[in-house]
Amino acid sequence: MTQVRNKNKESNFLIICDHASNKIPSKFNKLGLSQDILNTHIAYDIGSKEVAIKLSNILDCPLVMSDFSRLLIDPNRGIDDPTLIMKVSDGKIIEGNKNISFFNNCKEKKKRITNYYNTYHNKISEIIDHSLKKNMFPAIISIHTFTPSFGGNKRSTELGILWDSDN
């Protein structure tokens, strides 16, 4: 459940969109949530997919997007992060996740890591490896959006640009 666009484009950029979708496969029964809840920010970054596609087209570069909700498993977290599979988000209990153990021996956690998390990250690695073989070192641009209010608090930031130590 990973979407890739412009996979074979040779570029100095790679766009990724960790929270592009609110889809949850039917076997998970919407994780016990209503569609109204799944259409909100707790399930995905509203508008991020459209921004990522537009930017990928402008830059003529590859794009990798999740095609599953972050409530299923969050590809923007480390495997050992306690919020990898959320039990509560913005005050909403995620019924389908509440019995999933944080520990690595949990069968359901392992399945989600294998089928969703690893599939997504392996696509990103595949494109990076392809670029490196051609002596290209793509700048990775990760697209996210955020809701103007979270946890009952108004957020004043309209736009943010974050980067690590590589200027």
Side-chain angles (χ1 to χ4, degrees):
M1 295 192 65
T2 299
Q3 290 186 13
V4 180
R5 291 174 168 245
N6 300 330
K7 179 181 179 176
N8 296 316
K9 294 285 184 177
E10 293 183 10
S11 175
N12 289 320
F13 298 100
L14 167 60
I15 311 278
I16 64 172
C17 192
D18 300 330
H19 305 140
S21 177
N22 63 346
K23 292 181 188 173
I24 297 176
S26 60
K27 69 181 178 180
F28 293 100
N29 195 29
K30 297 182 181 180
L31 298 174
L33 301 169
S34 71
Q35 192 60 49
D36 287 344
I37 296 295
L38 293 176
N39 289 337
T40 69
H41 68 278
I42 70 166
Y44 72 122
D45 285 353
I46 299 167
S48 63
K49 179 178 183 174
E50 294 78 10
V51 170
I53 290 169
K54 182 86 166 170
L55 187 56
S56 172
N57 289 337
I58 290 169
L59 295 175
D60 198 29
C61 70
L63 164 62
V64 178
M65 299 180 288
S66 68
D67 199 23
F68 55 89
S69 173
R70 67 169 145 222
L71 296 177
L72 190 64
I73 190 165
D74 192 336
N76 191 40
R77 302 284 183 261
I79 300 255
D80 59 347
D81 190 315
T83 63
L84 179 67
I85 298 175
M86 295 292 291
K87 296 178 185 322
V88 177
S89 182
D90 202 9
K92 304 282 187 279
I93 295 172
I94 314 305
E95 290 292 329
N97 291 346
K98 69 181 186 180
N99 294 321
I100 296 176
S101 171
F102 165 75
F103 299 102
N104 289 329
N105 62 352
C106 174
K107 286 182 184 177
E108 182 58 30
K109 179 181 176 185
K110 284 181 182 180
K111 279 193 238 179
R112 292 188 193 186
I113 289 169
T114 299
N115 295 329
Y116 302 96
Y117 186 96
N118 286 348
T119 301
Y120 177 74
H121 285 280
N122 289 343
K123 285 289 180 192
I124 294 169
S125 294
E126 183 182 304
I127 291 172
I128 292 170
D129 290 345
H130 176 78
S131 294
L132 294 176
K133 286 178 185 170
K134 296 190 176 257
N135 288 320
M136 300 180 83
F137 304 91
I140 298 172
I141 302 171
S142 182
I143 303 296
H144 292 269
T145 63
F146 59 88
T147 185
S149 65
F150 187 77
N153 297 312
K154 186 178 188 290
R155 293 171 157 177
S156 59
T157 303
E158 291 186 32
L159 176 70
I161 298 175
L162 307 172
W163 72 93
D164 200 353
S165 60
D166 186 358
N167 293 328

